[in-house]
Amino acid sequence: MRIGQGYDAHRFKEGDHIILGGVRIPFDKGMAAHSDGDVLIHAICDALLGAAALGDIGKHFPDTDPDLKGVDSRILLRKVAELLTTKGYKIINIDATVVAQKPKISPHIPEMRKILGSDLNLNNDDLNIKGTTTEKMGFTGREEGIACYAACLIDSI
Ligand code: CDP
Ligand code: ZN
């Protein structure tokens, strides 16, 4: 079995919603990003690619690519899952932590798990998502943006 870890962070910009774990969450800010700014999906992609020694999300989907402007990160996630299958790996489980002072993500976690589970063909029990603040410390605490950590385990098919 092989382990992977991923980390991502995005800055807030003006807006009225964010996309996190494929869920549209109404908020008084948006996410600044070349894509839809789904920092949770990006961290999961990096964990999966890392476990398979396939580099990172920027290698496969460069943010200089005009075709990827505003792209739905779920498309990237499904492509990452395909890459793993092609290399002969299956996902055992994923665990992710969203670091955000705001918004509160717990009400949205069941929907995130459902959406990402369907993209990755994973049972609910094999995909955990959780949220934490940093007690108002640091860039997330100052509400400048959101960070996310993800870990995964994969195995040969
Ligand atoms: O230390 P702990 O993470 O338990 O405390 P906290 O940062 O004050 O967060 C309390 C709880 O709020 C967390 O355990 C999460 O369940 C939830 N939370 C959330 O839903 N969304 C966030 N952006 C941050 C925390
Ligand atoms: Zn990102």
Side-chain angles (χ1 to χ4, degrees):
M1 285 195 276
R2 302 169 62 102
I3 193 167
Q5 64 98 23
Y7 173 77
D8 193 25
H10 281 272
R11 185 181 285 279
F12 287 131
K13 63 170 187 181
E14 278 180 25
D16 61 6
H17 73 279
I18 62 167
I19 307 282
L20 198 61
V23 177
R24 190 184 196 279
I25 302 176
F27 190 47
D28 59 7
K29 299 180 183 96
M31 299 305 302
H34 185 68
S35 67
D36 63 3
D38 194 323
V39 63
L40 172 56
I41 289 187
H42 297 175
I44 290 173
C45 284
D46 268 357
L48 293 171
L49 290 170
L54 284 168
D56 65 16
I57 193 170
K59 177 180 154 186
H60 295 275
F61 315 107
D63 64 6
T64 47
D65 184 344
D67 289 346
L68 295 176
K69 192 164 165 46
V71 70
D72 178 349
S73 294
R74 290 181 63 190
I75 293 171
L76 310 184
L77 183 65
R78 290 194 289 261
K79 284 190 178 166
V80 165
E82 264 175 48
L83 285 168
L84 261 73
T85 307
T86 305
K87 206 169 170 181
Y89 294 122
K90 62 173 188 267
I91 302 166
I92 305 292
N93 78 304
I94 293 173
D95 181 29
T97 304
V98 176
V99 186
Q101 196 63 42
K102 279 183 191 162
K104 193 159 188 68
I105 68 150
S106 50
H108 306 286
I109 287 176
E111 196 183 348
M112 292 176 184
R113 291 173 74 194
K114 207 165 140 189
I115 286 172
L116 303 185
S118 91
D119 285 343
L120 294 170
N121 205 12
L122 270 186
N123 292 327
N124 220 37
D125 275 350
D126 299 329
L127 172 57
N128 192 68
I129 299 169
K130 54 208 184 297
T132 188
T133 69
T134 49
E135 304 280 349
K136 300 193 173 167
M137 296 180 288
F139 72 88
T140 55
R142 290 188 297 271
E143 297 175 35
E144 293 169 8
I146 297 182
C148 186
Y149 298 90
C152 72
L153 201 64
I154 65 171
D155 198 1
S156 303
I157 291 172

